[in-house]
Amino acid sequence: MSEGKFTFLFSWILAWSFFAINQLTITYDYLIKKPETIYVLTDSSEVDQYQDLKLDKNNIGKESGSNLVVNCDDKNYWNNISFKLNENQTSAILQFPRTPKEQNLGSITLNIYPMNAKVNKSHGYRLHTITKQKLLIDEEIQTVELEILNQVKEKGFKWFVEIEGKDKKNKECYKKKVFTLDIENFKNFKKIEPIYKDGIFNPVDTLFFDVSIIGEKKYFEIFFRTQELKKQHKNLPPPHEAGISLLEKTLNTIDGEYVEETLWLRNRLEGDVVVGLFGDVTSSDLQTMNKIIQTLHLVAPQLNISYSNNSYFVNLPIHFLPCSEFISEKSIGCMEDRYIGLFSHNHSSKVNTKEKFGWIWVDSSRSKEMRSHVLVHEFGHALGLRHNKCYDSVMSYNSLAPEMGHFSHVDLTQLRILYDPRIKMMLGSDNVIKNLNLNESLVGEYRNNDHEMCSIKNSLWSDLIEFQKGSLTIEMLYQNKKK
Ligand SMILES: [Zn+2]
């Protein structure tokens, strides 16, 4: 939270249905698509010791006597399940001593999760590899295709496979790690790519846009219009003293107290920023992203921000996944801590091009409006904004504030300062005050007046706010600015 390591928003909820690996083959054609939720907490640094649980062939098929134990939690049953990978090293073959149904199980799942998945150790792509898959309860032999994201493929990295049984009342009766996957023993790594839909992003903002789709003439027209839009930066309201005092504060709990937050080396986006939205993404999410990009053309014209449908080029990935119990427990703790979005800042000096500017997670089980709010809020963190107590701000931690899906006066005033082209390096507020010719004593006054610093408004921001809210098109925004 502090230093933008990760940041929260309230609330939480259920439902997990992404990246289903569901494929059952061999003799069965039946397939269940809906993984379910549940978790177990294991030390994420723990290295799994379970290997191929050997099938005790002597026991299989010989338990037909009348003294047969058929309890869900019967260790003898679980110890005699065989688990191995097929020859291609892509699928798991499971053999049960008898069908899970005959063992009085209500359901059985195969759970996969990566080592070191906790948010402070992980990168965002790992979220997509935390999956559960329902197995059939009336088959003794089952083959399940397993899939792991190519983006998280690393030497020495491991994924754990766990088997979990529940009784007929849906109560967990057994859970055990049965296998460890790594790049040596497993071959089914699949890439995930950002979601892209035609007609949403400005062609000029789309990395490697195929110009032949709209023709060169149209493309260059849009190109020059975008350049013009950037030039309108000079017509924005000048930097405002209240912006400094807002930038220097944050709060870590809803309706909490302000804490000081230095501007010294504040994280900012710089140079070539390539965004991609992954997972459970809708057109509305892409539209919100497009509005953020257009807004930044005006507020931060020096920023070269674009969208790509190729993960190779993305350096600020945004992951849309529902907060499930399993994801929460294995990684981001979204249920426990009741939050619905986060920004994880890349503190590493090691150049990680995949996440050069960090990564964002948005709880995709939320409404369209809430997702838009969360995306803008978390992107605000990526841009360098922190929380405030203002009513009218997307970064507000005021419980009375509405959940808006745009940058308000309060937010734009801060972005205006953070992205003023005169500031080459963020060397603290004194340096910023000097460089932007601001009035130091006025800044001091705002610092001591929570209400006043939230009240700043400038009608010159109105068009940009209306554009973000959808009441002005980009053409109208451009026309208005041109006047
Ligand atoms: Zn936040």
Side-chain angles (χ1 to χ4, degrees), residues 55 59-63 76-82 95-99 102-103 140:
L55 173 67
N59 284 335
I60 300 296
K62 287 188 180 174
E63 293 179 275
N76 193 39
Y77 177 77
W78 293 97
N79 287 335
N80 284 304
I81 296 172
S82 125
Q95 185 166 357
F96 299 90
R98 69 179 72 84
T99 70
E102 284 164 353
Q103 192 63 30
E140 268 181 31

Side-chain angles (χ1 to χ4, degrees), residues 254-292:
I254 305 280
D255 297 326
E257 290 303 314
Y258 271 128
V259 288
E260 296 297 314
E261 180 78 2
T262 178
L263 250 178
W264 178 263
L265 300 183
R266 175 69 56 91
N267 66 296
R268 290 191 298 173
L269 299 182
E270 276 167 28
D272 297 327
V273 180
V274 186
V275 179
L277 269 57
F278 295 82
D280 204 359
V281 175
T282 65
S283 298
S284 160
D285 302 325
L286 296 174
Q287 276 153 3
T288 303
M289 192 62 241
N290 177 51
K291 283 178 190 167
I292 295 173

Side-chain angles (χ1 to χ4, degrees), residues 230-439:
K230 289 188 171 200
K231 283 183 197 156
Q232 299 310 318
H233 179 267
K234 64 179 187 294
N235 296 332
L236 291 178
H240 192 291
E241 281 79 1
I244 298 276
S245 54
L246 282 158
L247 281 165
E248 286 179 323
K249 289 180 173 19
T250 191
L251 59 161
N252 299 327
T253 51
I254 305 280
D255 297 326
E257 290 303 314
Y258 271 128
V259 288
E260 296 297 314
E261 180 78 2
T262 178
L263 250 178
W264 178 263
L265 300 183
R266 175 69 56 91
N267 66 296
R268 290 191 298 173
L269 299 182
E270 276 167 28
D272 297 327
V273 180
V274 186
V275 179
L277 269 57
F278 295 82
D280 204 359
V281 175
T282 65
S283 298
S284 160
D285 302 325
L286 296 174
Q287 276 153 3
T288 303
M289 192 62 241
N290 177 51
K291 283 178 190 167
I292 295 173
I293 294 174
Q294 301 305 319
T295 302
L296 289 173
H297 285 335
L298 261 163
V299 181
Q302 72 278 33
L303 208 57
N304 187 21
I305 184 165
S306 56
Y307 190 89
S308 179
N309 61 358
N310 185 337
S311 62
Y312 181 82
F313 300 103
V314 172
N315 55 23
L316 176 48
I318 301 175
H319 304 284
F320 279 74
L321 289 166
C323 170
S324 69
E325 277 185 57
F326 196 43
I327 278 199
S328 181
E329 195 57 41
K330 290 298 180 200
S331 180
I332 51 181
C334 47
M335 280 206 172
E336 237 174 292
D337 296 324
R338 298 182 164 214
Y339 65 95
I340 57 177
L342 71 83
F343 166 65
S344 175
H345 179 42
N346 183 4
H347 289 278
S348 167
S349 54
K350 204 171 71 180
V351 181
N352 170 5
T353 50
K354 273 189 200 138
E355 290 170 342
K356 185 178 174 190
F357 298 108
W359 57 271
I360 287 169
W361 167 72
V362 176
D363 183 353
S364 63
S365 68
R366 298 291 159 164
S367 69
K368 186 170 98 174
E369 292 74 21
M370 188 57 101
R371 292 154 71 116
S372 177
H373 168 69
V374 176
L375 177 54
V376 179
H377 177 101
E378 301 307 338
F379 209 89
H381 284 311
L383 285 162
L385 299 181
R386 301 292 189 261
H387 299 140
N388 60 58
K389 293 187 187 184
C390 305
Y391 177 79
D392 190 16
S393 163
V394 75
M395 305 308 290
S396 181
Y397 252 23
N398 176 336
S399 58
L400 300 174
E403 278 110 20
M404 51 176 68
H406 64 270
F407 293 119
S408 70
H409 288 269
V410 165
D411 309 315
L412 291 167
T413 301
Q414 294 178 74
L415 291 173
R416 172 74 184 82
I417 292 169
L418 276 177
Y419 289 89
D420 190 299
R422 286 171 286 182
I423 299 173
K424 305 294 177 211
M425 245 189 129
M426 250 321 149
L427 299 176
S429 46
D430 290 348
N431 183 273
V432 174
I433 290 168
K434 200 173 124 209
N435 274 304
L436 303 184
N437 303 316
L438 294 172
N439 181 330

Side-chain angles (χ1 to χ4, degrees), residues 169-215:
K169 290 175 181 160
N170 208 29
K171 194 171 164 266
E172 182 195 314
C173 56
Y174 195 85
K175 184 153 50 188
K176 186 177 189 176
K177 272 193 267 181
V178 292
F179 210 78
T180 304
L181 305 174
D182 56 42
I183 62 166
E184 305 295 330
N185 70 6
F186 186 69
K187 302 292 173 223
N188 208 24
F189 291 90
K190 298 265 168 78
K191 255 187 164 182
I192 185 176
E193 295 298 348
I195 307 295
Y196 182 80
K197 283 180 185 157
D198 288 334
I200 292 179
F201 291 101
N202 182 348
V204 174
D205 302 329
T206 308
L207 205 65
F208 307 124
F209 183 78
D210 179 3
V211 179
S212 69
I213 294 173
I214 56 167

